[in-house]
């Protein structure tokens, strides 16, 4: 898994266009001023979050994240965006964005279809804290830009869901054209399930035929044995949605047999149980930073039978009960 986020120089250019001084943002984020002059910048998750927190703090525009994520000029779309726009429909575009995201950053795009609804989430795999609001806004606006640019219509989601309250909810509603729900259990943008079948007027089979094979080759190289443990952990996290995944569940997700999965983990000096606990630990830290989730809810999502089992496991990981850890994290964030 790629451990860094690649931030395009276009991001800094767009900030200046929107009246936000990049030098002030970098200073507030504690990052080098030299980054502004580089065509591409690699940042760790903590640095990326610091950058986006600074964007929200320096800018006086409550829609700054939305505007940074909104794009109408084809020449400004990233290679991944161009592949998405070359797809046959919106569902295929999001599938490709989710697949090729792992080449550029430790972030996932998660899709869930439930009846008539299609929920899209962003998960930051190496994050220990809640993602900055401006970054959430940017991600959702980016998805909508792909949808609107690709379909050639003013498609709008059913709603967007946020874990935390948003002071500028009305601004988001006007920009995205849908209701905003605060206090949700996750940050998500929700479309109609039927929207996935909307055809793209930007479909370009020739361009897709040129770019997709290159990405697939990079993926094959990226998914070598040295990254196998990380792939297993990510697959476990995707399956940790209210039950404890078995080795058969994860092997099926990776398209290999349980015996092969176990053997390859042993070759890497790991075990399925150890990787499972690491996945639970990382997700636990993420969930506890969500002020909406109660401890018993977090325990359920992590596949524990009861909250006491979760508390015991968390003490082993962090040396303190989860409630105390959450309080310390909140105090640190407040300071």
């Amino acid at each position: 898994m790629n451990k860094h986020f690649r931030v395009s120089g276009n991001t800094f250019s767009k900030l200046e266009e929107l009246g936000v001084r990049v030098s002030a943002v970098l200073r507030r984020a504690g990052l080098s001023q030299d980054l502004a002059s580089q065509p591409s910048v690699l940042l760790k998750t903590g640095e990326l979050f610091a950058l986006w927190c600074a964007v929200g703090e320096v800018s006086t525009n409550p829609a700054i994240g939305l505007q940074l994520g909104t794009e109408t000029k084809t020449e400004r779309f990233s290679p991944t965006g161009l592949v998405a726009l070359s797809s046959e429909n919106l569902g295929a575009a999001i599938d490709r964005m989710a697949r090729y995201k792992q080449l550029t950053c430790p972030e996932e795009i998660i899709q869930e279809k439930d009846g008539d609804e299609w929920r899209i989430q962003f998960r930051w795999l190496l994050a220990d804290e809640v993602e900055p609001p401006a970054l959430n806004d940017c991600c959702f606006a980016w998805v909508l830009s792909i949808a609107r640019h690709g379909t050639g219509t003013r498609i709008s989601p059913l709603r967007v869901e946020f874990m935390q309250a948003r002071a500028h909810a009305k601004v988001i509603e006007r920009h995205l054209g849908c209701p905003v729900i605060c206090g949700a259990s996750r940050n998500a943008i929700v479309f109609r399930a039927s929207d996935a079948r909307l055809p793209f007027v930007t479909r370009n089979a020739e361009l897709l035929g040129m770019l997709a094979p290159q990405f697939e080759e990079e993926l094959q190289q990226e998914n070598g044995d040295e990254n196998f443990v990380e792939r297993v952990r990510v697959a476990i996290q995707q399956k940790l949605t209210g039950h404890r995944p078995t080795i058969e569940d994860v092997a099926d997700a990776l398209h290999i047999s349980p015996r092969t999965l176990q053997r390859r983990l042993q070759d890497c000096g790991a075990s399925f149980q150890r990787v499972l606990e690491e996945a639970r630990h990382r997700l636990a830290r993420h969930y506890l930073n969500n002020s909406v989730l109660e401890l018993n809810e977090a325990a359920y999502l992590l596949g524990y039978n009861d909250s006491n089992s979760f508390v015991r496991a968390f003490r082993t990981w962090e040396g303190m009960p989860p409630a105390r850890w959450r309080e310390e994290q909140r105090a640190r964030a407040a300071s």
Side-chain angles (χ1 to χ4, degrees):
M1 180 183 68
N2 198 312
K3 300 292 180 68
H4 292 82
F5 289 85
R6 184 176 291 112
V7 180
S8 170
N10 285 336
T11 302
F12 298 128
S13 300
K14 202 166 183 180
L15 276 171
E16 293 286 356
E17 291 174 8
L18 294 170
V20 182
R21 291 177 55 210
V22 172
S23 58
V25 170
L26 293 173
R27 185 163 51 251
R28 179 69 66 90
L31 299 172
S32 171
Q33 294 289 325
D34 294 339
L35 299 183
S37 60
Q38 299 178 16
S40 182
V41 176
L42 296 180
L43 297 178
K44 296 178 181 178
T45 300
E47 295 171 330
L48 180 81
F49 280 18
L51 176 68
W52 278 96
C53 282
V55 168
E57 292 166 1
V58 171
S59 173
T60 58
N61 179 2
I64 186 64
L66 298 167
Q67 292 180 355
L68 286 170
T70 300
E71 190 54 73
T72 58
K73 300 178 180 178
T74 303
E75 63 271 19
R76 282 191 166 182
F77 280 94
S78 66
T80 303
L82 291 176
V83 167
L85 290 174
S86 300
S87 301
E88 55 272 28
N89 54 43
L90 180 55
I94 300 300
D95 285 342
R96 289 192 171 99
M97 287 172 61
R99 179 167 177 77
Y100 299 139
K101 202 99 167 92
Q102 58 187 300
L103 289 173
T104 59
C105 58
E107 174 192 348
E108 290 178 324
I109 297 178
I110 301 173
Q111 304 178 66
E112 295 178 357
K113 288 186 178 178
D114 183 10
D116 295 332
E117 295 188 349
W118 176 27
R119 181 181 290 106
I120 299 173
Q121 303 168 244
F122 288 77
R123 179 181 290 171
W124 316 88
L125 300 175
L126 302 181
D128 291 331
E129 54 192 306
V130 175
E131 54 268 26
L135 178 55
N136 268 146
D137 292 354
C138 179
C139 290
F140 293 163
W142 171 249
V143 169
L144 192 56
S145 286
I146 293 290
R148 288 178 172 174
H149 201 74
T151 62
T153 69
R154 290 290 296 176
I155 177 179
S156 292
L158 288 173
R159 65 183 180 278
V160 288
E161 302 174 349
F162 294 112
M163 296 186 294
Q164 308 292 342
R166 292 301 183 92
H168 59 291
K170 293 299 182 183
V171 174
I172 300 175
E173 288 182 348
R174 286 194 298 270
H175 190 96
L176 301 182
C178 67
V180 170
I181 306 297
C182 297
S185 61
R186 68 198 82 192
N187 296 315
I189 183 169
V190 185
F191 289 90
R192 299 165 187 82
S194 59
D195 289 340
R197 299 190 294 273
L198 290 175
F200 268 19
V201 298
T202 55
R203 181 177 184 180
N204 189 328
E206 184 178 359
L207 181 59
L208 187 63
M210 293 172 57
L211 294 177
Q214 296 180 33
F215 286 164
E216 291 296 333
E217 184 177 350
E218 290 181 41
L219 271 178
Q220 188 174 359
Q221 296 174 357
E222 183 75 16
N223 291 339
D225 286 340
E226 67 276 10
N227 297 298
F228 184 71
V229 174
E230 190 67 28
R231 289 174 57 205
V232 173
R233 186 188 62 74
V234 169
I236 291 174
Q237 284 184 323
Q238 292 174 338
K239 295 288 185 180
L240 273 172
T241 54
H243 76 285
R244 180 186 182 278
T246 65
I247 193 170
E248 288 79 14
D249 294 331
V250 177
D252 183 64
L254 295 174
H255 306 293
I256 58 178
S257 70
R259 180 175 295 180
T260 298
L261 171 59
Q262 194 168 27
R263 176 182 57 77
R264 291 187 64 178
L265 284 175
Q266 290 174 348
D267 291 343
C268 296
S271 68
F272 181 76
Q273 183 61 36
R274 190 188 309 168
V275 180
L276 171 65
E277 288 307 302
E278 181 186 348
R280 280 173 154 175
H281 184 190
R282 293 194 185 185
L283 276 182
R285 292 172 65 98
H286 172 76
Y287 289 145
L288 289 178
N289 273 312
N290 168 14
S291 61
V292 176
L293 286 176
E294 299 293 338
L295 293 184
N296 60 337
E297 293 174 320
Y300 168 76
L301 289 173
L302 292 168
Y304 288 101
N305 293 328
D306 53 68
S307 57
N308 289 332
S309 299
F310 171 48
V311 170
R312 287 194 297 269
F314 199 87
R315 280 182 177 273
T316 302
W317 299 328
E318 298 288 343
M320 67 179 74
R324 179 182 164 193
W325 185 88
R326 170 182 269 173
E327 290 175 0
E328 291 190 0
Q329 293 299 307
R330 287 178 177 173
R332 185 180 304 171
S335 63

